[in-house]
């Protein structure tokens, strides 16, 4: 009896140990899964974020290429005033005292010229590469700005000090230059614009916002 009883107790203890071991293993698996779940979710979110960023970048590249192909060979007619809704058209000078500003465009770039008086655009015109345009102005002090580029996009938004929602601009090789204010008194002021190989123009650097 003693031997049998002792064997029975040892057998029961082994079953308990096995049961406890299985419970501990199950608990360990559950805890491990719980610990890994946030990491798995974070990795999945990060992968989704990267995939979305790549998709957006590819879409932006596609649209940019589409706009480039659509407008790179587009230009306006000589002497056009694309911002007339904001700045008005060009007028002839009927004053007793008149001057002129004559602009010779570069041979390899179209240019929009704006003429400012007291920081307001009073004349502007699109000049095709290799062409010349002459502005007539009452005697006074004026500052010219030169916006160069290739490929005219009529829907491109332009930063402007004067007008909200100003549209129309170049899509490639853009550059903005300016000269100092010039006082004219029955004078003819001529600019012959030259695009240097370095990419800089003979005029001082400026910005779209300052030019418009």
């Amino acid at each position: 009896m003693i031997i049998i009883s002792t064997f029975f107790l040892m057998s029961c203890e082994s079953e308990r140990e096995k049961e406890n071991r299985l419970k501990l293993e199950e608990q360990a698996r559950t805890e491990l899964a719980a610990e890994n779940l946030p990491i798995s979710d974070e990795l999945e979110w990060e992968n989704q974020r990267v995939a979305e960023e790549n998709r957006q970048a590819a879409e932006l590249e596609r649209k940019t290429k589409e706009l480039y192909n659509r407008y790179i060979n587009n230009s306006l007619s000589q002497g056009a005033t694309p911002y007339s809704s904001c700045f008005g058209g060009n007028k002839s000078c009927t004053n007793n005292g008149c001057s002129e500003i004559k602009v010779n465009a570069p041979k390899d770039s179209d240019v929009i010229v704006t003429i400012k008086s007291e920081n307001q655009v009073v004349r502007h015109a699109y000049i095709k590469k290799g062409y010349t345009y002459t502005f007539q102005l009452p005697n006074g002090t004026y500052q010219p700005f030169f916006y160069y580029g290739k490929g005219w996009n009529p829907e491109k938004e332009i930063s402007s000090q004067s007008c909200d929602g100003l549209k129309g601009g170049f899509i490639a090789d853009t550059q903005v230059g300016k000269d100092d204010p010039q006082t004219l008194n029955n004078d003819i002021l001529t600019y012959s614009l030259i695009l240097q190989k370095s990419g800089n123009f003979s005029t001082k650097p400026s910005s779209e916002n300052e030019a418009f």
Side-chain angles (χ1 to χ4, degrees), residues 35-175:
E35 291 175 358
N36 290 336
L37 182 58
I39 298 177
S40 177
D41 287 349
E42 183 177 347
L43 289 174
E44 183 178 355
W45 179 86
E46 178 66 15
N47 290 336
Q48 290 177 353
R49 184 188 65 81
V50 171
E52 178 62 17
E53 287 182 354
N54 290 340
R55 186 195 67 78
Q56 292 179 1
E59 180 67 11
L60 178 61
E61 182 179 0
R62 184 190 67 80
K63 289 183 177 180
T64 300
K65 186 175 181 180
E66 180 181 317
L67 287 174
Y68 182 89
N69 292 336
R70 182 187 304 174
Y71 293 118
I72 189 58
N73 295 317
N74 192 39
S75 64
L76 298 181
S77 59
Q78 167 68 6
T81 53
Y83 310 127
S84 58
S85 60
C86 177
F87 305 133
N90 292 329
K91 304 174 183 177
S92 300
C93 179
T94 57
N95 292 30
N96 291 330
C98 295
S99 293
E100 293 182 350
I101 295 180
K102 182 180 179 180
V103 181
N104 300 314
K107 64 180 181 180
D108 48 4
S109 176
D110 292 354
V111 59
I112 282 195
V113 179
T114 58
I115 310 293
K116 282 191 168 185
S117 175
E118 298 180 351
N119 207 35
Q120 298 295 319
V121 177
V122 294
R123 300 285 192 279
H124 78 288
Y126 186 104
I127 309 175
K128 297 177 74 69
K129 58 185 179 182
Y131 281 67
T132 298
Y133 189 88
T134 300
F135 298 93
Q136 294 185 358
L137 299 155
N139 291 335
T141 300
Y142 301 96
Q143 184 175 22
F145 292 82
F146 311 95
Y147 171 45
Y148 311 81
K150 295 179 181 178
W152 184 260
N153 178 359
E155 296 301 319
K156 180 181 177 180
E157 294 186 358
I158 296 293
S159 178
S160 171
Q161 296 178 351
S162 305
C163 300
D164 294 330
L166 195 65
K167 287 187 176 182
F170 297 111
I171 64 171
D173 301 335
T174 58
Q175 183 77 312

